[in-house]
Amino acid sequence: MSSRVEASGRDAILASLRRNAPPASPLPEAPAAIVYDDPEKQFAETFTSVGGRFVCVASLADIDAKLEKLEPYTQARKVASLIPGVGRTIAGVGRTNVDLAALKDPHELEGLDFAIIAGEFGVAENGAVWVAGSALGPQRAIFVVTQHLALVVPADQIVHNMHQAYDRIRFERPGFGLFISGPSKTADIEQALVIGAHGARSCALFLVG
Amino acid sequence: MIGHAEKAAPFAANEPRAHWHDQALWFVRLKRDRQAESIPEWEALREAAAAIKAHTLSRIADYLEEFERNAHANGIQVHWARDAAEHNAIVHRILADRGITRLVKSKSMLTEECHLNPYLEARGIEVTDTDLGERIVQLRHEPPSHIVLPAIHLKKEDIGELFHKELGTAKDASDPKYLTEAARAHLRQKFMAAQAGLTGVNFAIAETGGFVVCTNEGNADMGTSLPPVHIACMGFEKIVPRAKDLGVFLRLLARSATGQPVTTYTTHFHGPMRGGELHVVIVDNGRSAILGQETFRRSLSCIRCGACMNTCPVFRRSGGYSYGYIVPGPIGSLLAPLRDPSQFASLPFASSLCGSCSDVCPVSIDLHHELYAFRQKLVENKTVPLFKRMAMAVMTYVLARTWAYSLAGRLMRWTMPRLPRALVYGPWNPWGRQRELPPMPRQSFRDLMKHDLNNEEPK
Amino acid sequence: MPKVGLFIPCYVDQFYPQVGLATLRVLRSLGVEVEFPEEQTCCGQPMANSGCGEYARPLAEKFLKIFGKYDQVVAPSGSCVSMVRNHYAQWLEGWPNFDHLRTNTFELCEYLVDVVRVAKVEGDFPGKVGLHMSCHGLRELRLARSSELMVKPFNKVRFLLSQLQGIELVDLTRPDECCGFGGTFAVNEEAVSCLMGRDRIADHEKSGAEIITGFDASCLMHLEGLIRREKKQLRVMHVAEILERARLS
């Protein structure tokens, strides 16, 4: 279809919308929303209830030891970390062995077993973590192609609800960003919940601080 | 014309299967209740969502232009399609111009409405639906029966049989985990080989020129982060004014749809991948005509959550296929006849008007009131059969005249008990197929009141 | 002393006169001055429900002519009252007395609770009773909180019945699912209607109910029709029939 046809399509649609416009009505603000006595606890509970694995650590340096307790990590043959200093064994021998910068194409991510990504903040009401595109490195597909995922979030960055979440997100434009809440899943077969659909089969979250 | 009642009867007649379908969906309704209970401001959120949609619809052209400006600034190409034919042609052109023959798709009711899949397939493009439920029905060559739970009408044994035939899974295997794993492997191949990904749009943001796609499976993310070309199709009513308005809708959507606090992935697209392209196709296809109808325009607020289907006692016992439209249930019973009144004339009557749908709708659409109003529209336009209208005319004639009503009542109560049972409960009596008629007392209430006035003291 | 017009739905008049009598007795026992205008026939719901609005119009006009002169109108039916309060405006907006009629037509239970302000219901009614919350009364007249709505729970009907000595209001699995009557729906979609009705009955049975009660005789007519066809042991009673055995104050 030529762009001239499309332009007239656009004009026709906009004209039709203006012709049929309902009477004006005001744009409301969101109602006062739930806040929790202990947002970190609420976040942990909700994240766990959606199939995620929640771990508290005092500092970034403590993550490796906890990772070594996770079967998906210890069994992983290809590991990528987007957080400097995270993802090395206590002995200092690097387990991360995928050089993300060297990948020319997202398809080369196939076979990645474990990815470690930074989350900007968490949302207590639904266990969601905001991951900005810039935290995903050169190949944004990493969060969904990886077989297993670990998110690292600062403990003082838990907001109570989605309204507070949108108050603080600054969209990179052009850009990409998403909320991740646990591992991928489906219940399309007889409503039986299966964890691990097309994306990550497991999702661990390290709350730091 | 075969309508809902004719298709629903065999579904309901298979009682074990109907009960199984009913229970499965009632369970989702209960999960929705539990989530809604946990949000003290739930009803206020529903009100806010309705108000945001009403406001947006009143200025929708302005918001769409704002969206287009901001989307362009993000490097997104924006297309406009007046109808399904233009939509399909636009999508095809984008693919054909780039020599693309392998497309992966995540859920989009709009593309079903436009019959995009067969259009592309006829032109040599392989289209793979990647949502597990949609892939299942695609392999079975049948439409989805529910907008959120496409394969809810199938048992795991049905799916096991299908996957054995199509994916080579073990015969008689029906464990959901095993079958899902097989689908994961099979679809990953498709993702890896795809040259373009097509998604729907849950919400488009005028203020920032971006849009949001929500999934649990990650199929939309996989399909749009591997191939370099992403096409997103949206009805114009998906637009919201500001990013902060997403807070209201995203708190309502998954809780209403599946009883989860949020979907696993809530992905915000504000531009193409590095080295890639991002296209948005804005579609009218009859929606602006609905916008102009005061009684029915609130149906455009629909965020396609499916809660109305899960709660509808009729949907649960008749199944999505009895509606004959891509969006079934209460909202479908409005959207379908709005599109084609004569083809879908039975749908507004496929309801007991119980009102449960209106009470669960996250954007507070007055569904059952609109269904009631639509019945009147169908009669006014003579889309309801003549004999039904004549029957009502006769009833009104009688009921408008007290003497005629009294006489008719007396005749009925006198005659019915004296007729042979086989005659009373003959094929002319649909009430009597599975039910006894009400009692036929010798005296009506007004007969008794005559006694009261004559013989009894009022107090 | 307000003069109350007794509005008896056509199917109550013809098939369940005892429900009309019970309603009359309950109101009189509270000293309400009740009159039954015998010119009344039908509120027009079957026509309106079928989309034949123009055939409902003459019935709405007749209703206003008959009931417009009363201070209040009371009926043992949620759906018929909803018709007057929520749907008559289409034909009667602006007519003299209509506004008063629309805001002063009540279903029996809400009349007792909200207008008469019955505080005490005394008497015996031993037995396991299942309460069927008919949809129009529930979601149009808001006689109780519907299970979908996240607001403070309340139930005007339960308030009246639960005070009876010995009564056990059973807990249903689905407290307010539609019985499937739906007016003309019962005939047009007979298969689904009856499956819905049988499922309601099964819920009451499983919950131990010996009697099913409700405030809309139309729903009860449908459920009783199914019960009697299957020769089940359940009894069906309108709430008015239960309340007429009690002392209200």
Side-chain angles (χ1 to χ4, degrees), chain A residues 64 67-68 71-82 86-89 94-100 109 111-117 142 146-148 150:
Chain A
D64 279 9
L67 279 170
E68 292 295 342
E71 203 180 299
Y73 183 79
T74 56
Q75 306 251 327
R77 275 160 310 174
K78 284 181 158 187
V79 179
S81 170
L82 281 156
V86 174
R88 304 206 172 270
T89 63
R95 291 212 63 212
T96 61
N97 50 12
V98 175
D99 181 0
L100 292 169
L109 283 166
L112 180 63
D113 295 307
F114 203 101
I116 304 163
I117 292 168
I142 186 171
T146 185
Q147 296 293 327
H148 300 275

Side-chain angles (χ1 to χ4, degrees), chain B residues 4 15 19 23 316-317 356 359 368 375-376 399 402 405 413 432 434-436 445-446 458, chain C residues 13-14 28 38-41 49 62 90 140 146 148 150 174 177 186 189 198-199 222 229:
Chain B
H4 179 273
E15 239 177 82
H19 279 151
Q23 271 296 119
R316 282 186 267 110
R317 293 173 181 81
S356 182
D359 276 356
H368 71 298
R375 296 177 182 190
Q376 296 209 31
L399 292 168
T402 312
Y405 159 77
R413 281 179 291 108
Q434 304 184 64
R435 290 168 286 218
E436 291 295 291
F445 176 77
R446 60 188 55 236
Chain C
D13 176 37
Q14 294 296 321
R28 280 180 173 167
E38 52 172 22
E39 272 295 293
Q40 66 184 282
T41 55
N49 212 271
K62 184 178 166 80
Q90 183 182 354
E140 299 286 358
S146 61
E148 300 87 357
M150 299 300 144
R174 301 186 190 182
E177 187 179 38
E189 291 257 3
R198 283 201 298 276
D199 288 349
H222 164 69
R229 174 62 60 91

Side-chain angles (χ1 to χ4, degrees), chain B residues 19-34:
Chain B
H19 279 151
W20 167 80
H21 185 264
D22 164 74
Q23 271 296 119
L25 287 164
W26 181 254
F27 181 59
V28 186
R29 153 77 206 273
L30 289 180
K31 286 201 289 183
R32 169 258 172 209
D33 286 357
R34 270 199 290 277

Side-chain angles (χ1 to χ4, degrees), chain A residues 1-184:
Chain A
M1 225 176 63
S2 80
S3 59
R4 197 151 20 102
V5 177
E6 267 202 54
S8 64
R10 174 188 185 278
D11 293 340
I13 292 171
L14 290 170
S16 180
L17 292 175
R18 291 194 159 102
R19 209 168 41 242
N20 286 298
S25 67
L27 178 60
E29 293 308 312
I34 193 168
V35 289
Y36 302 95
D37 294 327
D38 188 343
E40 193 181 302
K41 179 156 169 272
Q42 179 66 29
F43 179 86
E45 271 167 24
T46 317
F47 189 81
T48 309
S49 76
V50 297
R53 196 193 181 110
F54 181 86
V55 182
C56 275
V57 292
S59 74
L60 280 180
D62 300 321
I63 295 180
D64 279 9
K66 300 282 185 180
L67 279 170
E68 292 295 342
K69 296 210 169 80
L70 292 179
E71 203 180 299
Y73 183 79
T74 56
Q75 306 251 327
R77 275 160 310 174
K78 284 181 158 187
V79 179
S81 170
L82 281 156
I83 303 175
V86 174
R88 304 206 172 270
T89 63
I90 299 167
V93 178
R95 291 212 63 212
T96 61
N97 50 12
V98 175
D99 181 0
L100 292 169
L103 297 178
K104 289 189 211 56
D105 184 290
H107 296 79
E108 294 176 24
L109 283 166
E110 177 65 335
L112 180 63
D113 295 307
F114 203 101
I116 304 163
I117 292 168
E120 199 180 306
F121 64 86
V123 186
E125 76 163 294
N126 53 19
V129 176
W130 177 253
V131 177
S134 50
L136 292 170
Q139 304 296 346
R140 80 178 197 210
I142 186 171
F143 73 92
V144 69
V145 175
T146 185
Q147 296 293 327
H148 300 275
L149 184 63
L151 299 165
V152 178
V153 179
D156 59 359
Q157 301 297 317
I158 303 287
V159 301
H160 293 264
N161 55 63
M162 290 296 273
H163 306 295
Q164 293 180 340
Y166 278 102
D167 279 342
R168 55 174 292 175
I169 295 174
R170 294 283 168 270
F171 291 112
E172 299 154 356
R173 293 179 52 192
F176 180 86
L178 77 155
F179 288 105
I180 301 180
S181 179
S184 74

Side-chain angles (χ1 to χ4, degrees), chain C residues 72 119 138 144 164 178 181 198 212 231 234 239-240:
Chain C
Q72 290 154 352
L138 176 64
L164 289 161
C178 178
F181 175 70
R198 283 201 298 276
I212 298 179
K231 299 192 168 60
L234 286 158
V239 294

